[in-house]
Amino acid sequence: MSSELPRTLEQYRHAVRAHELSAEEYLGETRQLIERGDPQVKAFLHLRLDAARSDAQAADPSSPLAGAPIAVKDNIMMAGERCTCGSRILEHYVAPYSATVVQSLLAAGAVVPGKTNLDEFAMGSSTENSAFFPTHNPADLSRVPGGSSGGSTAAVAAGFALGAIGSDTGGSVRQPAAFCGVVGFKPTYGLVSRYGLVAFGSSLDCIGPIARSVRDAAIMMNVMAAHDPKDATSVKRPHVDFEAALQPTLAGKRVGIIRELQGLDVQPEIAAAMETTRKAAVKSGASIVEVSVPHILSALPVYYIIAPAECSANLGRFDGVRYGLHEDGRDMTETYSRTRNTGFGTEVKRRILIGAFVLSAGYYDAYYKKAASVRQLITDELDAALQSADVLLTPTTPTTAFKLGAVTDPLEMYKADVFTIPADLAGAPAISFPAGKDTAGLPVGLQLMGPRWSDADVLSCANVLFTALGGES
């Protein structure tokens, strides 16, 4: 085994195929990192390192992932493993089957070291809403890793896994990727199967890869993207080799800057990173164009009507009768009430209440119906903007990672999603990639968004910029 461990999935795969390293040896080194570091980072809710060792021993070096450790967010099911969704109501629930994307990763040679922490039912932007413990940012243990996929991004950033999968409903892959200094990709809605993902917002939820490089995300997408008859929202598309589609330059590309986002208050280092990245795009052959999305600032309030409405409906199944926590009451109504009151945390209860309110007979037209109309308007405006540009460049977040416990106002927390939510509302592909650090040494992330089904192009453009800014291609 070489003295220096591979840092990326691509490097790892090359080393394994060249017989410089075995999957079992790499997992052994990873296990030591986890055992030393995860008590502080707290990326994992459950570890399966002994089972992972057996999987690594059996891994085929010629398989697409060649025994690489890939962590799985704990709202994505893996047969025989607990799937808690970061909630007391599912604390002891064991998944009876594996999500399609987990089956695909395992079939491609992935080894799963454990299930990662998250905001309860993927509702949050800091992973502080986990019912069990908060995850810490490996870049600064006093800060949040972002959320809701904070455990997955922290695991990749800390070197506990070469990649991970998370779910993105309003930015939950991209925002924590920005905070932790890794790559997070949200594919076009319908490109990756949602079967086996515990539902939060069914018209928004996507499973996406988290990795240390854009190329690694493309390698993972080659495994993850496939039609699945078990998912009614899965769409049949022609096969794409995402890694092979990566281009060396941005020649002929149009990079759009959204006019309406220019006035938003962002941290100075993030504004500087935007300017540096614009220059890098031009140097690589792209042109910069200004586009207009007139109602994009309405995306945040629209999301916080639609997502709670869908969550209210989806979480109705957790009643203490069929599975999960059960609290006895004098009658069925009290049993439901006591179970849900004990099992759900504050943020989940807040969103269920908001959702039930906006769906109620007296307020449906005023809130949910209007939000759905504005969602379509924003989608149409983004489609129009992407006629004038191939990709749109924005910050991923307004700030770098904040201190644990520093943001207690839910409305302030929701604002962390202002740049990521539009892609979810439109079902469009979007990626966050590292673009430097602030004066405190905290990672800065920027985002590229493209038209629906332009996933390969978004990954390619991001790879050029990521490499130009010093990332590993």
Side-chain angles (χ1 to χ4, degrees):
M1 184 174 67
S2 61
S3 58
E4 187 172 334
L5 286 174
R7 280 188 41 80
T8 67
L9 177 55
E10 183 197 21
Q11 292 169 1
Y12 164 85
R13 200 170 58 170
H14 175 79
V16 168
R17 290 174 180 173
H19 305 291
E20 299 169 358
L21 176 69
S22 73
E24 185 180 2
E25 288 172 330
Y26 188 84
L27 185 71
E29 296 293 327
T30 301
R31 180 174 191 151
Q32 291 183 36
L33 285 175
I34 292 171
E35 289 174 344
R36 286 199 307 267
D38 199 47
Q40 291 76 46
V41 175
K42 299 184 181 296
F44 290 99
L45 282 174
H46 331 289
L47 288 165
R48 53 183 307 279
L49 293 171
D50 291 335
R53 183 170 182 267
S54 298
D55 295 340
Q57 288 171 338
D60 179 359
S62 65
S63 62
L65 298 178
I70 305 292
V72 175
K73 186 177 179 179
D74 202 32
N75 62 343
I76 301 171
M77 294 211 274
M78 184 175 183
E81 301 293 337
R82 282 199 291 164
C83 187
T84 69
C85 295
S87 178
R88 294 290 179 193
I89 209 162
L90 288 177
E91 184 172 3
H92 303 293
Y93 179 71
V94 176
Y97 65 91
S98 289
T100 296
V101 71
V102 171
Q103 290 178 335
S104 298
L105 289 166
L106 294 174
V111 170
V112 178
K115 303 290 294 296
T116 57
N117 198 18
L118 67 156
D119 288 296
E120 186 178 8
F121 284 101
M123 298 180 200
S125 303
S126 67
T127 316
E128 292 172 296
N129 290 332
S130 171
F132 304 108
F133 45 76
T135 295
H136 299 250
N137 192 324
D140 180 344
L141 294 174
S142 70
R143 294 178 185 269
V144 302
S148 64
S149 305
S152 287
T153 55
V156 174
F160 303 157
L162 282 167
I165 54 174
S167 61
D168 193 307
T169 307
S172 288
V173 163
R174 290 160 289 148
Q175 185 255 20
F179 277 10
C180 288
V182 296
V183 171
F185 180 58
K186 185 204 88 70
T188 298
Y189 183 84
L191 184 61
V192 174
S193 173
R194 295 187 301 117
Y195 182 74
L197 168 67
V198 178
F200 163 15
S202 298
S203 74
L204 301 159
D205 295 339
C206 292
I207 296 176
I210 295 157
R212 293 187 196 164
S213 74
V214 177
R215 183 175 293 274
D216 285 1
I219 291 169
M220 291 177 67
M221 280 299 295
N222 277 346
V223 173
M224 296 166 63
H227 177 251
D228 181 11
K230 294 178 181 176
D231 175 6
T233 63
S234 179
V235 179
K236 275 189 178 179
R237 298 289 298 177
H239 172 73
V240 175
D241 186 329
F242 294 96
E243 184 183 10
L246 299 176
Q247 300 298 311
T249 73
L250 296 180
K253 295 295 182 186
R254 300 163 299 169
V255 177
I257 306 296
I258 301 172
R259 182 184 305 138
E260 289 77 12
L261 297 182
Q262 296 304 292
L264 292 186
D265 186 24
V266 299
Q267 196 170 311
E269 295 96 328
I270 294 174
M274 281 285 290
E275 185 57 33
T276 299
T277 305
R278 284 193 193 103
K279 291 176 180 176
V282 171
K283 187 175 181 181
S284 186
S287 57
I288 305 296
V289 297
E290 187 177 82
V291 299
S292 178
V293 185
H295 292 88
I296 196 166
L297 295 180
S298 297
L300 197 66
V302 164
Y303 174 85
Y304 280 103
I305 292 173
I306 290 174
E310 294 186 6
C311 124
S312 178
N314 278 322
L315 269 59
R317 72 194 67 179
F318 301 107
D319 54 15
V321 176
R322 287 164 286 188
Y323 37 68
L325 180 71
H326 175 87
E327 291 279 343
D328 279 325
R330 290 167 297 182
D331 54 29
M332 191 61 73
T333 300
E334 186 174 276
T335 295
Y336 290 162
S337 178
R338 291 186 62 180
T339 297
R340 289 164 69 83
N341 188 52
T342 303
F344 289 141
T346 301
E347 182 61 26
V348 172
K349 290 175 185 174
R350 180 182 293 116
R351 298 200 193 191
I352 289 173
L353 287 170
I354 292 170
F357 175 78
V358 301
L359 291 174
S360 61
Y363 297 98
Y364 178 90
D365 286 354
Y367 291 100
Y368 185 80
K369 187 176 179 181
K370 185 177 288 185
S373 297
V374 178
R375 177 186 188 176
Q376 187 58 55
L377 179 63
I378 293 167
T379 300
D380 292 343
E381 290 175 351
L382 281 168
D383 289 347
L386 286 162
Q387 294 294 311
S388 303
D390 297 296
V391 289
L392 303 177
L393 174 67
T394 75
T396 308
T397 57
T399 68
T400 53
F402 47 85
K403 293 274 189 181
L404 285 152
V407 181
T408 56
D409 180 353
L411 294 179
E412 287 300 313
M413 188 74 77
Y414 298 164
K415 289 178 184 177
D417 301 329
V418 64
F419 295 112
T420 55
I421 280 172
D424 292 285
L425 293 178
I431 188 168
S432 178
F433 58 93
K437 295 184 178 181
D438 70 6
T439 53
L442 298 171
V444 169
L446 298 183
Q447 176 181 245
L448 283 182
M449 184 192 330
R452 286 180 294 282
W453 312 115
S454 68
D455 301 68
D457 198 35
V458 170
L459 284 162
S460 182
C461 292
N463 188 55
V464 173
L465 294 175
F466 173 70
T467 305
L469 296 171
E472 297 176 77
S473 175

